[in-house]
Amino acid sequence: MPLPQIPDVDDLTLDELIGQLLCFGWDSASDSPAREINDHTIALIDEMQVGSIVLMARNHTPNHLESIRANISALQSRSRIPLFIAVDQEGGVVNRFSPQSSPMHQFSGNMALGAIAKGSGKVVAIDLAAKQAALQANELFNIGVNWNFAPVADVNNNPANPIIGVRSYGEDPYLVAELAVVVANGYQSNGVLACAKHFPGHGDTNTDSHLALPTIDVDNKRFENVELVPFKKLITAGVDAIMTSHILFPLLDPKRPATMSPEILTGLLRVKLGYQGLIITDCLEMDAIAKSPGSALGAVAALCAGADIVLVCHTLKTQREVVRKIRSAIKSGKLRLDRLKASVSRVLAAKKKYLTGTMVPQIPPMAPDEVEQTIADKSITIVRGD
């Protein structure tokens, strides 16, 4: 089978350029016997020419890996430009291939690895984190998933946080950094693009950005010593994608959430931190953006601010409106063509790295059942008693 060919940015039509900026998901009827491919899916590829597709739990028939693999293959065959196929497979409470839907291994969440570091030592935790990441990457790669929206690099220093919690490695920014780097390297060295999230930090919130716009109001010293620590380490280590947060940081931009802020995405992430990889937004249908300014205007603002890819996971009508607003912004000059091409060049460079056979997963020298059980066992923390 010939290896996929990735075109150069100057070989793309305007529709194809816009498509490479899009990571869209599709709805699936829960009562359909074949939930994976439908008219919505076809519209994403044929009509909108998306460059990336995100899989949700609703998009695959339970416990049928061959069906998942076949449908991903069908999507790739339908697209002229090879697709990034993305998923949230963090481990723990966020597994799109869950015990109910998949025979894939169900590794513990990140806080389990943080607990191991405190109980059994950092060396043990790092070793197990590396093994877990390699095994996760192998399972994803073998069904055709080439992008994992993980690791979570948020520092969980607010016990009232309703959305991060056990998804974080813990409240110590340096431990979070060490474990996140190991996991990102484990994915990427095994052929799966990693994505650190949620920049510049979602740990110290008491609001879920799916429901409203949170604010993290801290001074510069606190921000540098907590939120930024893991992301700086990940950038130095070579993480190839970072996801934005829909959070207001008055210290950095008093008016716009990170996803829509040029001061944060370009001024901080690109210029100050020197990051050269992909920037993708969190889902723009989350209420923090959808309620104001709206998903479509939020997409344009994110691209103008410095994002390379906008994520819209659910609704066909909203996705079409996003494409219309992007096209309109290009026509009016609000979104410059050179700015668009810079993002598409980064997307295509990442595809050349991960989708052309140059990144081959290693064969893990370990039994996944054993690693899965060891992490679960060692994460148990004695609160009191023996």
Side-chain angles (χ1 to χ4, degrees):
M1 183 176 178
L3 293 174
Q5 298 296 308
I6 310 294
D8 293 325
V9 65
D10 291 329
D11 297 330
L12 303 188
T13 66
L14 181 60
D15 285 343
E16 289 174 330
L17 287 170
I18 294 171
Q20 293 304 301
L21 306 174
L22 311 175
C23 183
F24 286 176
W26 77 92
D27 200 4
S28 299
S30 60
D31 58 350
S32 170
R35 291 164 56 187
E36 299 85 354
I37 301 291
N38 58 21
D39 290 343
H40 187 170
T41 327
I42 293 168
L44 299 185
I45 297 177
D46 292 5
E47 174 191 330
M48 290 174 267
Q49 302 185 56
V50 300
S52 307
I53 284 181
V54 60
L55 297 179
M56 310 296 283
R58 62 178 182 251
N59 296 136
H60 50 269
T61 304
N63 289 305
H64 205 307
L65 283 183
E66 285 305 318
S67 173
I68 299 168
R69 189 181 290 112
N71 279 283
I72 290 174
S73 179
L75 294 174
Q76 293 285 16
S77 297
R78 196 172 190 101
S79 179
R80 183 179 90 81
I81 303 171
L83 298 162
F84 272 132
I85 305 293
V87 72
D88 289 280
Q89 192 75 1
E90 299 171 10
V93 296
V94 179
N95 271 349
R96 300 304 183 213
F97 299 110
S98 66
Q100 292 75 34
S101 66
S102 159
M104 293 169 69
H105 287 83
Q106 303 300 314
F107 291 100
S108 301
N110 293 339
M111 198 167 281
L113 291 163
I116 292 171
K118 292 180 179 180
S120 300
K122 196 182 297 181
V123 172
V124 174
I126 287 172
D127 176 63
L128 289 170
K131 289 176 178 176
Q132 174 176 323
L135 290 165
Q136 283 178 302
N138 270 261
E139 291 191 328
L140 293 173
F141 186 94
N142 286 334
I143 60 170
V145 173
N146 45 43
W147 192 358
N148 193 9
F149 290 158
V152 173
D154 301 315
V155 181
N156 193 59
N157 56 341
N158 186 338
N161 194 312
I163 190 62
I164 301 302
V166 295
R167 297 169 64 195
S168 167
Y169 295 104
E171 72 283 359
D172 179 346
Y174 294 94
L175 177 61
V176 171
E178 286 191 76
L179 291 171
V181 164
V182 167
V183 169
N185 288 341
Y187 295 149
Q188 293 187 170
S189 63
N190 285 279
V192 173
L193 173 61
C195 185
K197 59 188 185 185
H198 307 78
F199 185 84
H202 203 324
D204 192 10
T205 62
N206 55 17
T207 302
D208 181 353
S209 52
H210 290 83
L211 306 175
L213 177 63
T215 297
I216 295 181
D217 194 1
V218 295
D219 62 26
N220 188 66
K221 182 178 179 181
R222 186 358 247 281
F223 180 66
E224 291 277 349
N225 291 331
V226 179
E227 278 80 8
L228 272 194
V229 169
F231 290 103
K232 283 183 174 179
K233 296 287 187 183
L234 282 154
I235 290 167
T236 300
V239 69
D240 282 326
I242 288 177
M243 179 178 285
T244 69
S245 64
H246 306 328
I247 295 176
L248 190 68
F249 285 81
L251 171 71
L252 307 171
D253 188 332
K255 296 180 180 178
R256 291 163 294 204
T259 290
M260 298 163 49
S261 171
E263 287 82 0
I264 294 175
L265 300 191
T266 298
L268 174 60
L269 186 51
R270 291 280 186 222
V271 177
K272 183 178 178 180
L273 299 183
Y275 179 63
Q276 299 299 313
L278 292 178
I279 301 175
I280 182 171
T281 72
D282 206 342
C283 181
L284 296 171
E285 291 190 84
M286 294 161 62
D287 282 349
I289 302 296
K291 284 185 176 180
S292 178
S295 302
L297 289 176
V300 172
L303 293 170
C304 290
D308 300 308
I309 299 177
V310 293
L311 177 65
V312 185
C313 295
H314 307 290
T315 311
L316 179 58
K317 180 180 178 181
T318 301
Q319 291 162 343
R320 285 177 166 149
E321 182 64 12
V322 165
V323 175
R324 282 194 293 269
K325 289 294 186 184
I326 292 173
R327 180 177 290 278
S328 176
I330 295 168
K331 185 176 180 180
S332 71
K334 182 176 182 179
L335 179 58
R336 302 189 320 273
L337 195 58
D338 62 337
R339 165 73 199 89
L340 181 153
K341 285 188 172 182
S343 282
V344 174
S345 295
R346 279 189 283 268
V347 174
L348 296 177
K351 288 187 173 185
K352 287 176 181 177
K353 181 175 181 179
Y354 287 94
L355 306 187
T356 56
T358 56
M359 301 289 288
V360 179
Q362 305 164 20
I363 304 300
M366 78 265 322
D369 289 351
E370 181 182 343
V371 175
E372 185 182 36
Q373 190 63 55
T374 300
I375 292 172
D377 291 344
K378 287 186 175 295
S379 70
I380 295 171
T381 301
I382 302 299
V383 178
R384 62 174 177 264
D386 298 326

